[in-house]
Amino acid sequence: YIIIFSIMQELKWREKKLKEHKSYCKSLDVCLKSGVAISAGLADGAIWWNLYTKSVTGNLNAEQGSFTCVKIFPSSSRVALGSTFGENPIEIFDLESKKIVKQLEDHESGVYALDVTKDETILFSGSSDKTIRSWNLDEQKLLCTYQEGIDATVTSLMLDSHQKHLFATTLNKKLYKFEVENDFTLTKNSTFETESKNLCMDLDKDTNIVYLGLFCGTVMSVNGANMEIVTSFEVHQIRCNSISISGRYGFSAGGDRTVAVFDKNSLFPLKKFDTFSSGMMSIKAFSHGSLIITGDREGHVYIINSRVDPKNLLFIRKTKGQQVVENLPFSLFKELTMM
């Protein structure tokens, strides 16, 4: 047994509960620079929120389908929206003019994952048509369609910090790592298989650790360099629908109507908030959790400013070789020392 001393900042919530979506706030993204949050609803389109006034500043109706994912560009001038639209599953929206400036049409079904390069010229998309595609946005041109070995819906995509690798998760329990070539085509590097369906992913770009949220409620961390498991922990009773890593902590939205805060190294849950009325679908956290945006199945969006108080926490990690067997509350330490 290894005793681990950790410092937790206990979140005390000051939340603003907003009801704008008709149902299912499926995805959201935030630009702190401009103070804008955008949420995607499965029934009624995308909504623009002002983080300071906590009010709606605009929307884009989904007349022919539903928006499934959202990605704000680094400059915060544009946003990419993935949808279940038959003809235009990807739309690029200019935030200043509030107009659609590009539509990408080659996917055969809904788009559920998006990421964009730092210079905003290349977009990657993942779909229920079991493909990952790369696009030149300046020329509005399809560069690559990757399909080999993908046999389920692509649920998330993330580029690493050097933009040399692309990570992707699918519903068939697999995490893929691709080499990004100079022409932005993809070559499969390696695959990691999980114990349950992959619903979401976040990447710590400083450490190259991939965090997976599984259907069974488990959060799992995988070393992106060698694609080997680091550790896992059952954070939710069912469906870890969304994960966001911020500073030393991870934040997850669960189908069990909870938002969890966990230590990003051990995945040990530090705090769990269970005051929500329905399953939580999406989450983004910033500044060690001082700002959290989360959405639920009923269409509520919560904009949360948290006050942090230092608090020492202790827990025990039980290991076997390099494998973590379980994390135990520190209250059990006396029992263990008497065994």
Side-chain angles (χ1 to χ4, degrees), residues 164-262:
K164 296 297 184 182
H165 296 99
L166 179 74
F167 294 95
T169 59
T170 64
L171 285 178
N172 65 350
K173 306 181 182 181
K174 290 179 181 177
L175 167 67
Y176 297 91
K177 179 182 178 182
F178 298 94
E179 302 278 353
V180 180
E181 306 296 344
N182 292 334
D183 59 356
F184 294 101
T185 57
L186 300 174
T187 304
K188 188 164 70 171
N189 177 295
S190 54
T191 305
F192 175 86
E193 189 159 351
T194 60
E195 62 192 65
S196 180
K197 294 179 181 179
N198 296 306
L199 300 180
C200 61
M201 170 178 63
D202 199 7
L203 173 65
D204 187 335
K205 296 191 176 184
D206 293 329
T207 62
N208 209 33
I209 299 296
V210 181
Y211 295 84
L212 303 174
L214 306 185
F215 183 86
C216 61
T218 295
V219 174
M220 179 179 292
S221 57
V222 177
N223 188 321
N226 57 23
M227 293 289 279
E228 294 182 357
I229 185 171
V230 179
T231 188
S232 64
F233 204 95
E234 186 179 332
V235 175
H236 298 280
Q237 294 178 3
I238 191 171
R239 295 187 69 102
C240 180
N241 288 318
S242 184
I243 286 181
S244 182
I245 302 299
S246 179
R248 294 173 292 171
Y249 307 114
F251 302 80
S252 58
D256 56 357
R257 304 183 181 185
T258 65
V259 166
V261 185
F262 56 87

Side-chain angles (χ1 to χ4, degrees), residues 21 24-27 39-48 59-63 65-70 80-85 88-91 93 100 111-112:
H21 289 291
Y24 275 86
C25 178
K26 179 67 174 64
S27 175
S39 56
L42 284 183
D44 52 4
I47 295 176
W48 278 249
N59 67 289
L60 181 63
N61 291 327
E63 298 178 356
S66 59
F67 287 118
T68 50
C69 56
V70 54
L81 293 161
S83 71
T84 58
F85 298 173
N88 303 307
I90 303 173
E91 296 183 324
F93 191 86
I100 295 172
V111 171
Y112 290 86

